[in-house]
Amino acid sequence: MPRHRRTGQLFVISAPSGVGKTTLVRSLLQELPELEFSVSCTTRPSRPGETDGRDYHFLVREVFLAGVKAGRFLEWAQVHGEYYGTDKLKLDEWLEAGKDVLLDIDVQGARQVRCIFPLAHNIFILPPSWGVLEQRLQARGTEAPDQIASRLSAARREVQEAPWYDFIVVNDVLETAVTDLISIIRAARCRRMAQAHRLRAILDFHPPPS
Ligand code: 5GP
């Protein structure tokens, strides 16, 4: 194994439904194209505009559950009645290759990942207020009124988990929230531990005597 190698860092983003995480994540990936996005598997049906393989790997329940049994997922959880999971093969490959990876997963999944990757950077996205969250869910127009109510009460439970995340970003103005996320990732990349391979390389370098 080469001595001065860097393994990738893991960034985990969670947010209650309707906070605008998908838009945030898309903007972030445009700004930091070298960041790999882990496309999750799900049993939920695709929404208009979503593409299989880009937004999610859409699986039927039997295939998903067979994957659970076969140990295919790094983590998995049931969210809003559907299954979601992170495929571990691609993730391991990226981290091994030194690439930083972004996971967009719920609080249950984030807890599981934290046990396996204690050095992962956990970021929680908050809405500016409950009123704004409700308005955003209504404006999205993808859920019926009873589903909106259930997503709001799920949001209240999810926000209870925010205190154990490393970073909290409020998604009020999109550009500001994206800048906050970029700053978190850049700062994480500058941490001594993330630069250990460079430090070692430069400390190991002995110029030849003149
Ligand atoms: P949506 O159906 O609105 O795209 O996502 C619903 C919730 O599932 C979001 O909180 C999202 O972060 C979460 N989610 C998406 N992919 C995964 C995954 O692979 N694992 C877990 N645990 N949650 C996920």
Side-chain angles (χ1 to χ4, degrees):
M1 191 162 84
R3 279 190 76 188
H4 305 128
R5 239 178 91 215
R6 166 190 190 274
T7 52
Q9 299 198 74
L10 199 52
F11 296 89
V12 176
I13 295 193
S14 301
S17 169
V19 168
K21 186 177 41 163
T22 309
T23 313
L24 259 182
V25 165
R26 281 206 187 129
S27 308
L28 178 64
L29 293 171
Q30 262 171 12
E31 296 293 326
L32 301 179
E34 74 287 358
L35 192 61
E36 299 288 355
F37 178 67
S38 166
V39 177
S40 295
C41 298
T42 185
T43 58
R44 87 145 160 76
S46 63
R47 296 191 185 124
E50 285 184 333
T51 309
D52 187 34
R54 187 197 66 172
D55 299 288
Y56 280 107
H57 298 291
F58 295 101
L59 305 181
V60 293
R61 240 158 217 259
E62 296 70 41
V63 173
F64 189 98
L65 293 174
V68 170
K69 231 177 172 180
R72 171 177 174 176
F73 302 115
L74 170 72
E75 61 72 36
W76 65 275
Q78 208 171 8
V79 187
H80 310 306
E82 299 288 353
Y83 291 107
Y84 294 82
T86 303
D87 220 315
K88 66 179 168 201
L89 207 66
K90 197 77 202 161
L91 184 87
D92 288 345
E93 213 176 274
W94 280 330
L95 293 176
E96 263 301 294
K99 294 180 175 174
D100 294 338
V101 184
L102 181 67
L103 299 186
D104 165 355
I105 59 177
D106 88 315
V107 292
Q108 307 169 73
R111 268 184 182 275
Q112 297 171 50
V113 171
R114 194 165 58 131
C115 294
I116 305 162
F117 290 98
L119 297 180
H121 306 281
N122 298 292
I123 308 165
F124 196 91
I125 315 289
L126 275 183
S129 69
W130 290 114
V132 170
L133 182 63
E134 190 168 358
Q135 278 166 17
R136 285 183 187 167
L137 278 169
Q138 279 161 356
R140 189 159 86 168
T142 47
E143 284 90 15
D146 60 324
Q147 283 174 319
I148 291 182
S150 104
R151 293 216 169 201
L152 274 173
S153 58
R156 287 185 191 278
R157 285 193 302 274
E158 282 161 351
V159 170
Q160 302 293 316
E161 300 279 327
W164 68 254
Y165 280 71
D166 305 302
F167 301 94
I168 306 285
V169 170
V170 178
N171 188 18
D172 188 359
V173 178
L174 176 75
E175 291 72 24
T176 311
V178 173
T179 306
D180 286 350
L181 289 174
I182 294 170
S183 308
I184 291 167
I185 292 170
R186 292 216 170 117
R189 285 174 174 168
C190 291
R191 293 200 68 182
R192 190 188 61 243
M193 271 171 69
Q195 293 296 330
H197 62 298
R198 288 223 172 85
L199 258 181
R200 240 176 279 133
I202 210 152
L203 290 173
D204 281 0
F205 179 70
H206 301 292
S210 54

